[in-house]
Structures are given as structure tokens and as C-alpha cells.
Amino acid sequence: MSLIKVHDREFVPFISEATIQHKIKDLAEQISKDYQGKRPLFVAILNGSFIFASDLFKQLEIEAEICFIKLASYKGTKSTGHVVTAIGLDTDITDRHVVILEDIIDTGKTLYEFLPQITNQRPASVRIAVLLHKPEATKYQFPIDYTCFTIPNKFVLGYGLDYDGLGRNIREIYQLHES
Ligand code: XMP
Ligand code: MG
């Protein structure tokens, strides 16, 4: 077992590079079938999804577009509550087939609060594709159309995901080692 240390924590290998790449190829084939002739617009959520989005997009065999957005969440007023804003959503998504790409769904709060901003613009359709889903942690429910890996409720890093800024460039996915 090859432990790695990132900041103050130890992590153990969890999903290999080959397994990730295999799964992404399958997902790209599925999406290519589902969106043939529809010229989908992929909306990838930064920072965590940048490697997932890149690897998936390269494998698509159809005409497709991609844009990258960043979600900033902050506390609004008492009446607006918690607010999630999208930075960089400058492509017109009206009547487009949108596929949101996210690295991980944990509680689901981020996407749950962001989704109305997509649906309000009347896209032709919206689907969500995620690399990782932690169903045990998910409190906000919405349909997740494509999931690469369903994982237990443990912190992971690598393949775009970070622990306090580090670990995004690790080619496999590692899991927090609890000793
Ligand atoms: P929610 O709870 O809104 O959270 O679904 C989604 C965001 O939380 C971060 N997150 C993680 N990041 N390893 C990470 O590196 C994890 O295990 C993890 N769990 C949640 C991530 O930024 C995601 O977009
Ligand atoms: Mg993220």
C-alpha cells in the first residue's frame, strides 16, 4: 500500500488511473450516442472538474461545445439566504442541450442551489454528469444522469480534486487514510 502525504494527512490509493480512464471512455461513448446531432454544450464547474472535463471532452465523437464556470457561494441577506453565483456563464444556453460537469457531489448543496440559474434560461435540456458521488452524504436530491463512480463518504483527492489546494495533479484518486 503506497501512502502519500498531502499537507498533514495521509492518503491511500483508491481508484487507479486505468480504471478512471476506462470509465471515462465508456461515459464518452454513452454521451456521444445520447447527444448525436444535438451539439450539446458542456458546462464544466471549476476548479475540481477541469481534468475530468478535459479527458471526457477529448473522447467525444460528436460535435460539442464546452465552457467553464466557477461557482462562488456566499451568505446573502435574510430573505435571499445562501446565494450561489456563476462566474463566466457567458454562453447563451437558451434552447441548448446542456450537460453540467462536476467533480463530486457530496451534500448536493452547491449544484442544487445553482441548477435554477441554468433552468431559468430555458435550455432545451439539462443533464448532470459527475465523476464521483457520495450518496451517503447527499442531502439535496436531484437527478444525476451520469455517474462515473459511487463512493463511500470519505474524503478523496487527486484527478482534479484537492486537499487545501494540493493534490489536483495526482493521476489516480486517493482516499483519506484513517488510522
Ligand atoms: P456539495 O456538498 O455542495 O459539495 O455537493 C461539492 C463540493 O465539495 C467539495 N468536496 C470535495 N473535494 N474531496 C475533495 O477534494 C472530497 O472528498 C470532497 N467532497 C466534497 C468539492 O469542491 C465539490 O465540488
Ligand atoms: Mg468542485
Side-chain angles (χ1 to χ4, degrees), residues 10 18 20 33 40 58 62 68 98 100-101 105 116 119 123 133-134 139-140 143-144 154 172:
E10 286 182 326
I20 298 167
K33 266 189 212 147
K58 279 190 290 193
I62 52 168
F68 293 83
V98 172
I100 297 172
L101 301 179
I105 293 181
T119 50
H133 180 212
K134 292 177 177 172
K139 295 190 193 112
Y140 298 78
I144 305 168
K154 274 193 186 179
E172 310 86 50

Side-chain angles (χ1 to χ4, degrees), residues 122-139:
R122 310 222 168 277
S125 68
V126 182
R127 283 188 183 173
I128 296 171
V130 296
L131 177 68
L132 304 165
H133 180 212
K134 292 177 177 172
E136 292 157 20
T138 306
K139 295 190 193 112

Side-chain angles (χ1 to χ4, degrees), residues 45-49 102-104:
I45 301 176
L46 295 171
N47 293 328
S49 76
E102 173 67 308
D103 53 352
I104 183 163

Side-chain angles (χ1 to χ4, degrees), residues 1-177:
M1 188 165 67
S2 43
L3 283 173
I4 56 161
K5 196 164 180 204
V6 178
H7 292 298
D8 56 335
R9 294 296 180 97
E10 286 182 326
F11 293 83
V12 288
F14 180 46
I15 308 173
S16 75
E17 185 179 2
T19 305
I20 298 167
Q21 292 304 330
H22 192 89
K23 200 69 167 193
I24 285 179
K25 196 164 190 298
D26 286 351
L27 177 61
E29 265 173 36
Q30 183 65 50
I31 291 178
S32 295
K33 266 189 212 147
D34 295 350
Y35 287 88
Q36 182 73 51
K38 292 185 169 172
R39 199 178 288 185
L41 171 66
F42 290 81
V43 176
I45 301 176
L46 295 171
N47 293 328
S49 76
F50 79 112
I51 294 179
F52 168 49
S54 163
D55 281 351
L56 178 70
F57 200 71
K58 279 190 290 193
Q59 300 277 351
L60 294 173
E61 288 149 13
I62 52 168
E63 278 195 339
E65 292 177 41
I66 190 164
C67 69
F68 293 83
I69 64 165
K70 198 156 185 171
L71 298 183
S73 96
Y74 57 93
K75 264 197 165 153
T77 61
K78 218 175 191 181
S79 59
T80 55
H82 191 247
V83 187
V84 173
T85 50
I87 301 160
L89 189 56
D90 44 18
T91 313
D92 184 10
I93 62 172
T94 310
D95 296 328
R96 298 296 305 269
H97 292 283
V98 172
V99 183
I100 297 172
L101 301 179
E102 173 67 308
D103 53 352
I104 183 163
I105 293 181
D106 190 323
T107 65
K109 194 174 195 308
T110 315
L111 269 191
Y112 184 82
E113 290 178 347
F114 168 62
L115 276 174
Q117 295 182 42
I118 294 285
T119 50
N120 282 349
Q121 296 183 52
R122 310 222 168 277
S125 68
V126 182
R127 283 188 183 173
I128 296 171
V130 296
L131 177 68
L132 304 165
H133 180 212
K134 292 177 177 172
E136 292 157 20
T138 306
K139 295 190 193 112
Y140 298 78
Q141 305 293 340
F142 46 84
I144 305 168
D145 305 281
Y146 306 102
T147 303
C148 291
F149 302 101
T150 298
I151 62 166
N153 188 14
K154 274 193 186 179
F155 191 83
V156 290
L157 100 176
Y159 197 71
L161 291 107
D162 71 305
Y163 169 44
D164 204 6
L166 296 181
R168 295 193 197 274
N169 54 324
I170 296 167
R171 297 162 81 106
E172 310 86 50
I173 294 170
Y174 278 71
Q175 192 176 55
L176 185 65
H177 177 58

